[in-house]
Amino acid sequence: MKLATYDRGSGPRCGVVLGETIVDLGREGDLLPLIVDWDRLRPEVEEIAAAGGGVPLSSVRLRAPVLRPGKIFAIGLNYADHIEESKMERPQHQVWFTKAQTSVNGPFDPIQIPRASPFVDYEVELVAVIGRRGRHITREQAPAHIFGWCVGDDVTERMWQHRTPQWSLGKSFDTHAPFGPWITTADEIPDPHALAIRCSVNGEARQTSNTRHLVFDVFDQIAHLSQAMTLEPGDVIFTGTPGGVGAAMDPRQFLKAGDMVCCEIEGLGHIENRCEAEG
């Protein structure tokens, strides 16, 4: 099932995506309350979806599925080719940073090139959305705690990222966490570690890989994070980016106003964001 937060001009609402249409679920706001109470609400959602109807997807604005996640965590250096191009050693431990809630962006909304610094880069990533609360989750238990999957772009301002040892500021500029276009529920994806993943800029392929190349897979990530904190419904995890980022090209290729970034993952759809200068 594909569940989306969308807007037709009167504020965010919840819908289920059926092909090229979206069917309203009779709920205002984003998907978070539905995720929290999914076990009880799922039969109702399935009944609405079975009835069909709806409006064309092209007639609505898709929003980020969760507008203000309680936590947004992202892992760095988690594909071998990206580690190599970054000229860093393979980490012995998972390298985590946070992205601010205010960096959340819609799947087709503009990415800002900030006034503070223009060295903006793309990073296509598989995004996991937590569906069940838990602490000290084992690797074996981890799949049951995932509500579903999205396509994400861990947009990064490279100068701010690298001028201090802490990456979070460079990862947290406004609009720098677009994800969506919807949540594909976990039951629709038998193996999240066998998905083609790609990113293009203005139609030029930049990143092409497969999630089987993750250094620490998603289940290990959840087990690791949950040793430190309670994971809660609606928390968002960016699971790592493959090689091909602009900062590693020769010469380096940073995003500029007018560029179109398209991120796509097999079975999950795509997001597409045009870059524009911060007003």
Side-chain angles (χ1 to χ4, degrees):
M1 195 177 305
K2 295 177 172 61
L3 301 169
T5 299
Y6 76 100
D7 196 333
R8 295 192 74 192
S10 58
R13 300 186 62 83
C14 298
V16 57
V17 176
L18 303 173
E20 295 301 315
T21 65
I22 186 165
V23 179
D24 189 75
L25 294 177
R27 293 178 168 273
E28 296 181 353
D30 69 4
L31 293 174
L32 181 56
L34 188 146
I35 294 170
V36 170
D37 206 13
W38 182 240
D39 288 343
R40 183 178 68 85
L41 295 175
R42 179 169 187 160
E44 176 186 330
V45 173
E46 291 176 336
E47 183 177 347
I48 293 172
V55 299
L57 263 177
S58 59
S59 69
V60 308
R61 174 192 174 196
L62 289 174
R63 306 284 300 274
V66 182
L67 297 175
R68 285 292 181 267
K71 293 187 282 295
I72 308 171
F73 269 86
I75 190 170
L77 303 173
N78 203 35
Y79 281 79
D81 56 355
H82 181 51
I83 295 169
E84 181 178 357
E85 71 179 2
S86 301
K87 297 179 173 57
M88 301 183 75
E89 295 183 1
R90 179 174 172 141
Q92 293 184 345
H93 304 286
Q94 296 179 28
V95 178
W96 287 97
F97 55 89
T98 60
K99 294 176 77 76
Q101 287 183 331
T102 46
S103 67
V104 167
N105 197 8
F108 300 102
D109 290 343
I111 291 170
Q112 287 183 1
I113 307 299
R115 287 181 287 176
S117 182
F119 302 108
V120 177
D121 210 348
Y122 51 84
E123 293 189 6
V124 62
E125 307 208 5
L126 173 66
V127 171
V129 180
I130 297 298
R132 184 172 298 170
R133 188 176 189 272
R135 179 86 191 276
H136 298 296
I137 301 165
T138 67
R139 174 186 167 80
E140 292 71 29
Q141 293 168 337
H145 288 264
I146 297 170
F147 180 77
W149 307 96
C150 301
V151 182
D153 187 354
D154 174 22
V155 183
T156 305
E157 206 299 313
R158 295 297 185 194
M159 187 181 79
W160 282 57
Q161 178 192 11
H162 291 302
R163 68 183 182 182
T164 71
Q166 301 296 326
W167 295 354
S168 288
L169 274 182
K171 296 285 191 174
S172 288
F173 278 72
D174 284 1
T175 75
H176 285 192
F179 71 101
W182 39 70
I183 300 175
T184 301
T185 53
D187 59 292
E188 296 276 326
I189 305 298
D191 185 359
H193 303 113
L195 305 177
I197 181 170
R198 60 186 67 90
C199 175
S200 65
V201 179
N202 301 326
E204 176 192 2
R206 295 286 184 88
Q207 295 178 281
T208 303
S209 190
N210 192 288
T211 56
R212 67 174 175 267
H213 298 306
L214 287 164
V215 175
F216 301 102
D217 74 23
V218 184
F219 305 149
D220 283 334
Q221 293 177 36
I222 289 172
H224 185 77
L225 283 174
S226 71
Q227 292 181 64
M229 68 198 72
T230 300
L231 297 179
E232 299 178 311
D235 287 348
V236 168
I237 299 173
F238 283 71
T239 65
T241 199
V245 300
M249 297 176 70
D250 186 15
R252 296 188 297 172
Q253 300 288 323
F254 294 110
L255 297 172
K256 59 186 184 300
D259 284 347
M260 182 68 81
V261 183
C262 181
C263 297
E264 183 178 5
I265 299 178
E266 179 183 359
L268 305 182
H270 76 282
I271 65 174
E272 195 167 62
N273 306 90
R274 184 174 296 278
C275 300
E276 59 181 36
E278 180 186 357

